[in-house]
Amino acid sequence: MSKTISKILVTGALGQIGSELTTELRRRYGDSNVVASDLKPGPEGELGQAGPFEQVSVTDAEGLTAVCIRHNIDTIVHLAAILSATGEKDPLAAWHVNMTGLINALEIARDLELAQVLCPSSIAVFGAGCPRDNTPQETVLKPSTIYGVTKVAGELLCDYYVGRYGVDARGLRYPGIVSAETLPGGGTTDYAVEIYYSAVENGEYTCFVSEDTRLPMMYMPDCIKGTIDLMEADPDRLIHHGDFNMGSMSFSAGELAASIREHIPGFRTTYRPDYRQAIADSWPSSIDDTAARDEWDWRPEYDLQAMTGDMLAKLRTRHEAGLLYR
Ligand code: NAD
Ligand code: SER
């Protein structure tokens, strides 16, 4: 029997996903029932004003525990992390934030008997030896980045806390997330967001992966919907816990540029692969998410055309108001 989710702490709430997920959670659970937190100071915008905010590092076990007790938290949505490209610049920092942060969240859940901890994983768990097309749920996990190593360890840790302590820990392997609200924070898939901003701002983009680089991606509305669907899924249906493959769409950098060109015919792209190319090459090109579909009815809604239309409409409106990078 699962416990009720009523008071949520979102770590990493000022990041690409947290800034939008927090707003949607507040809409559903009530502004005062969703506490945003981050290492960075509280924002002055909508997110900061709409509900409580706590500045705390997820590596600070005492500080994080105090926040949970002060707000009577029963669920942690643990988004604070160092992503793949930034992680390669300082692997020890990535290990510290991603692993110490997660174990702190799980220990708090065990100690305070929380209802749930949700922690995203990533397509970065995959690497050499796994099939690149339609990558299955169960396969070889040999990532080449420190970020991927922390995500594999994180999935195992979540499953361990489920089995050993009965903590309700859940997680999904997000593909690259594309969004118009908050810029991404140092991942390999960031080009799939930057390209829209540059198209609207300059009509050109220099891409840091090659034209034929094909990766699984997802538009933010599907990411938010899927994340909350998993949080609210009936635990009795879940066979997996911390490691659901989550698919949506899959396209090459060239196909992405072509979809933008349908709206901005003169849009020009140059391809100058850097160190992130090797990371992208180590990841799947598409994902088999049968387990998510079977166990909690996952169904994405957006394809590339729908996403491009929506991204460009949003960014153009902001650009015209002088608020593209607000
Ligand atoms: P992001 O980099 O945009 O945001 C991370 C947030 O965590 C930032 O606001 C940062 O200030 C905060 N943070 C960093 N160190 C912290 C610390 N010590 N204590 C507290 N906060 C700290 O990341 P995101 O894209 O929003 O990702 C959220 C989660 O989703 C992460 O676990 C990430 O691995 C996962 N994920 C994201 C993507 C994607 O494409 N965005 C894909 C796969 C998985
Ligand atoms: N978007 C993420 C990254 O590129 C995938 O986890 O790091």
Side-chain angles (χ1 to χ4, degrees):
M1 185 69 185
S2 68
K3 297 177 190 159
T4 309
I5 298 174
S6 52
K7 201 83 198 274
I8 303 170
L9 174 71
V10 181
T11 71
L14 302 186
Q16 184 194 8
I17 296 170
S19 57
E20 297 196 48
L21 183 59
T22 303
T23 303
E24 179 57 19
L25 287 171
R26 282 182 173 162
R27 199 183 65 73
R28 290 179 184 224
Y29 288 88
D31 286 344
S32 59
N33 292 325
V34 180
V35 179
S37 75
D38 205 285
L39 187 60
K40 293 189 262 189
E44 284 162 11
E46 198 193 325
L47 196 62
Q49 285 155 10
F53 180 86
E54 294 276 2
Q55 185 177 12
V56 64
S57 173
V58 293
T59 61
D60 172 7
E62 239 174 72
L64 200 60
T65 307
V67 166
C68 289
I69 292 173
R70 189 155 58 242
H71 292 277
N72 207 14
I73 295 298
D74 56 49
T75 298
I76 300 177
V77 176
H78 181 59
L79 303 179
I82 305 288
L83 275 71
S84 61
T86 307
E88 290 312 294
K89 293 180 184 153
D90 190 346
L92 283 186
W95 176 265
H96 183 49
V97 172
N98 296 4
M99 297 316 305
T100 308
L102 176 57
I103 201 128
N104 285 344
L106 290 167
E107 274 295 290
I108 289 169
R110 181 171 77 88
D111 243 28
L112 303 182
E113 298 181 2
L114 300 191
Q116 191 181 127
V117 174
L118 180 127
C119 178
S121 185
S122 163
I123 52 166
V125 295
F126 301 113
C130 76
R132 288 206 72 223
D133 295 331
N134 212 23
T135 303
Q137 177 74 42
E138 317 294 346
T139 184
V140 179
L141 299 180
K142 285 195 173 180
S144 59
T145 59
I146 188 69
Y147 173 68
V149 170
T150 67
K151 288 299 180 187
V152 173
E155 289 181 354
L156 293 171
L157 208 49
C158 285
D159 285 356
Y160 179 78
Y161 271 71
V162 172
R164 177 78 209 280
Y165 302 116
V167 169
D168 187 347
R170 305 181 183 193
L172 346 82
R173 293 171 177 159
Y174 290 145
I177 305 299
V178 177
S179 66
E181 288 302 314
T182 305
L183 282 164
T188 302
T189 57
D190 292 13
Y191 66 90
V193 180
E194 291 171 3
I195 193 170
Y196 288 106
Y197 280 74
S198 284
V200 166
E201 192 180 24
N202 313 316
E204 59 183 17
Y205 179 61
T206 302
C207 186
F208 59 76
V209 298
S210 63
E211 188 171 4
D212 60 354
T213 302
R214 178 179 296 276
L215 289 174
M217 299 280 177
M218 179 180 293
Y219 195 32
M220 186 62 91
D222 277 333
C223 172
I224 303 291
K225 174 178 152 304
T227 304
I228 296 176
D229 282 354
L230 176 60
M231 286 175 71
E232 295 177 349
D234 176 358
D236 293 339
R237 284 183 64 196
L238 302 184
I239 299 163
H240 297 84
H241 296 281
D243 61 357
F244 283 100
N245 275 8
M246 198 189 186
S248 170
M249 58 185 102
S250 195
F251 49 76
S252 69
E255 288 164 352
L256 173 57
S259 81
I260 294 174
R261 225 166 272 124
E262 284 174 23
H263 298 259
I264 307 175
F267 177 51
R268 291 186 307 281
T269 42
T270 312
Y271 297 90
R272 279 203 208 110
D274 65 15
Y275 70 100
R276 290 168 282 194
Q277 182 69 53
I279 301 177
D281 289 344
S282 74
W283 290 352
S285 56
S286 61
I287 287 287
D288 175 357
D289 57 9
T290 307
R293 287 172 185 267
D294 288 352
E295 293 175 40
W296 48 276
D297 304 322
W298 163 237
R299 300 281 182 283
E301 284 173 9
Y302 283 82
D303 61 12
L304 176 58
Q305 280 65 35
M307 177 174 80
T308 294
D310 202 55
M311 280 292 288
L312 291 177
K314 285 184 171 140
L315 295 182
R316 273 171 161 158
T317 304
R318 288 227 305 273
H319 187 47
E320 280 158 19
L323 294 169
L324 183 59
Y325 293 100
R326 62 180 170 197

